[in-house]
Amino acid sequence: MSTTPTGTRISPDALTGPAVFTGTPVVPGVAAGPVVRPVGSVQLPPAEGPVVPEQQRGAEKERFTTAADAVAARLASRASAATGVSAEVLNTTAQLARDRGLLSAVEQRIGDGSSAEAATVGAAAQFVDLFVSLGGVMAERATDVRDVRDRIVAELTGQGEPGVPAPETPSVLLADDLAPADTAGLDPARIIALATRLGGATSHTAIIARQLGLPCVVGVGGLSDVPEGSFVLVDGEQGTVTVDPDPEEARTRVAAAQEAAAALAGYRGPGTTRDGHLVQVLANVQDGAGARAAAAAHAEGVGLLRTELAFFGRTEEPTVEEQAEIYAGVLEAFPGGKVVLRTLDAGSDKPLPFATPPNEANPALGVRGLRTARRDPGLLTHQLDAVAQAASRTGAEPWVMAPMVATVAEAAEFAAQVRERGMVPGVMVEVPSVAVLADRFLEHLDFLSIGTNDLSQYTLAADRLSADLADLTDPWQPALLALVQATAAAGQRTGKPVGVCGEAAADPMLACVLVGMGITSLSCAASSVAGVGARLATVDLATCQRAAEAALAAADPQSARAAVREVLAAG
Ligand code: PEP
Ligand code: MG
């Protein structure tokens, strides 16, 4: 099993044993139940239909706005019942249903004689083509446009709302892929686990499943052959979906996972191994509300404040005062605690109109992160002024780091600007060049924080958003782990902290490996803090070190996981 490639069907007993499908594990936990699938696709009319007489066109426009408003209101009301990433995703989709560009494209088509349904299909196709032609990052938006199109057409034609069913019996959702708004609207009392054929460890499905605490495996091949209603067991730590498992074994595995979950409920921090080696378990947040939720989840502080997320969709740079207000809200959530702010990581998968150049041929390798300050140095200095203002207002001592740094000179210049303002400078390790020269970077900096999401993208040369390449951006890839190890070793040599704030830090088993390498803090979604903290409390440092050696020696992610599982079980 250890060498089975992702997506392969294996059967322990070729003739009688249950079929086991493997994928990328993204949220630990075990759950078993009947299979449900997303509600059938919406029947779409052709974009070119019969011409609507001129006198009815006003009424058609009215029908469209009523339907689009109903869709937006439904999504917005779900958003208000949700929190964090789920709320954000639902709000984004709701806004898209009211998007002025979409509305005017639809109205123009209705004005030319299309029905409301046909105009919706035609206008959506226009936007989908545009986003797809822009490539990689923007292609994610095409999924949102198709989702909104389906919801509006369903509303107009009286078809049931597409998306995830709400079964009476707690069930396992199997799907090809899920629209962000579908995942965000999941009711964890009815859907107890998720497995998808597409999607990577950093996809929306994974991020939201993590927030909801739903066992989740992505990139699982062969799922489409599993019939609705059949009984399956999803193991989010091993990354498997077992069809028709032995009922007794399923009960035992679910019970063991529930016991482990109960242990999480008792987690209060601070993070430490069983033998008392302290490792800060921090949270990734985007605003004051997220920081307060993280404090309630017993995070010891903030390991990554993604400042750019507060300014999505803005066309003008926010003022220093507005920024200071937001940062102060985060600092106040952890009085006297550690808060690491990251300067704007605009560009690539997070374009900000006021900071990012349009139409870059290859935005992931373009002007993103710290590089935006080359074009507009004021963006960075204003933001640092805002952080300094928030610090003096709250009496906090924030750590400040830059994303997408590639050279020692960039790091040194950034560090000088941060120190000038009395704050603690660091940079993210996202570009392999920083890991390779970590000692030289640390001559200028007080800390490093490894962003494994981008570090894997740039090390394996694989788009982090590509479902087809999810096996390459798996955080257990040995080349990525070797760079993490090199960076951690530089931290130990210089006595400076090196944390991990990418999704790798949210995987409790990988967290043990990272600690064994000498990583000093782990920062993950607030919902993963207890899982990581509780797991660390069960192992001693020497076992973590053996786990690190086993992971580094493995040939591929699957065998690394299997080897580490064995070391941890024996330890
Ligand atoms: C990372 O790259 O791992 C990271 C934490 O930053 P982001 O996911 O925001 O790019
Ligand atoms: Mg990053």
Side-chain angles (χ1 to χ4, degrees), residues 306 342 345 349-350 368 403-404 428 430 451-455 458 464:
R306 289 184 162 103
R342 174 173 75 184
D345 187 21
D349 56 332
K350 289 168 286 203
R368 64 166 293 201
M404 196 65 186
M428 290 193 72
E430 292 171 302
T452 47
N453 308 338
D454 276 310
L455 187 58
Y458 297 124
R464 64 189 268 187

Side-chain angles (χ1 to χ4, degrees), residues 15-247:
L15 293 174
T16 54
V20 182
F21 296 93
T22 61
T24 305
V26 288
V27 185
V30 180
V35 169
V36 287
R37 291 189 174 276
V39 177
S41 51
V42 175
Q43 296 295 322
L44 298 175
E48 307 298 334
V51 177
V52 174
E54 204 153 345
Q55 64 278 19
Q56 281 175 27
R57 293 179 191 169
E60 281 301 281
K61 286 185 187 168
E62 193 69 35
R63 278 182 66 228
F64 172 81
T65 35
T66 310
D69 280 348
V71 167
R74 207 176 294 132
L75 291 167
S77 104
R78 280 185 209 150
S80 59
T83 55
V85 192
S86 301
E88 200 184 297
V89 165
L90 287 162
N91 270 324
T92 307
T93 317
Q95 275 163 20
L96 192 57
R98 291 198 170 112
D99 183 79
R100 285 219 202 96
L102 181 67
L103 176 67
S104 73
V106 169
E107 285 191 337
Q108 192 175 344
R109 284 168 178 269
I110 295 177
D112 293 342
S114 291
S115 67
E117 294 83 336
T120 307
V121 172
Q126 209 175 306
F127 282 95
V128 166
D129 287 350
L130 173 72
F131 288 138
V132 170
S133 73
L134 286 173
V137 174
M138 300 311 265
E140 280 241 321
R141 304 230 168 143
T143 312
D144 295 340
V145 174
R146 287 193 198 99
D147 182 35
V148 161
R149 171 200 66 192
D150 290 358
R151 287 172 194 277
I152 295 176
V153 171
E155 183 72 24
L156 283 165
T157 53
Q159 300 179 57
E161 192 189 7
V164 172
E168 291 295 316
T169 316
S171 302
V172 172
L173 181 65
L174 299 190
D176 244 24
D177 200 5
L178 291 165
D182 286 342
T183 331
L186 286 179
D187 174 357
R190 293 167 189 265
I191 300 296
I192 52 173
L194 282 179
T196 59
R197 187 173 66 81
L198 302 172
T202 54
S203 64
H204 269 121
T205 303
I207 289 171
I208 293 167
R210 198 167 290 124
Q211 187 188 314
L212 295 173
L214 290 177
C216 177
V217 188
V218 298
V220 193
L223 279 188
S224 23
D225 300 334
V226 181
E228 184 138 8
S230 48
F231 191 72
V232 297
L233 179 137
V234 174
D235 186 324
E237 183 161 310
Q238 296 201 9
T240 54
V241 178
T242 308
V243 184
D244 290 330
D246 172 63

Side-chain angles (χ1 to χ4, degrees), residues 328-347:
V330 175
L331 294 171
E332 278 161 0
F334 287 97
K338 176 169 166 179
V339 173
V340 186
L341 289 103
R342 174 173 75 184
T343 55
L344 285 181
D345 187 21

Side-chain angles (χ1 to χ4, degrees), residues 323-329 331 385-396 398:
Q323 293 191 54
E325 184 70 26
I326 294 171
Y327 309 148
L331 294 171
D385 289 343
V387 181
Q389 205 180 95
S392 79
R393 206 193 295 168
T394 56

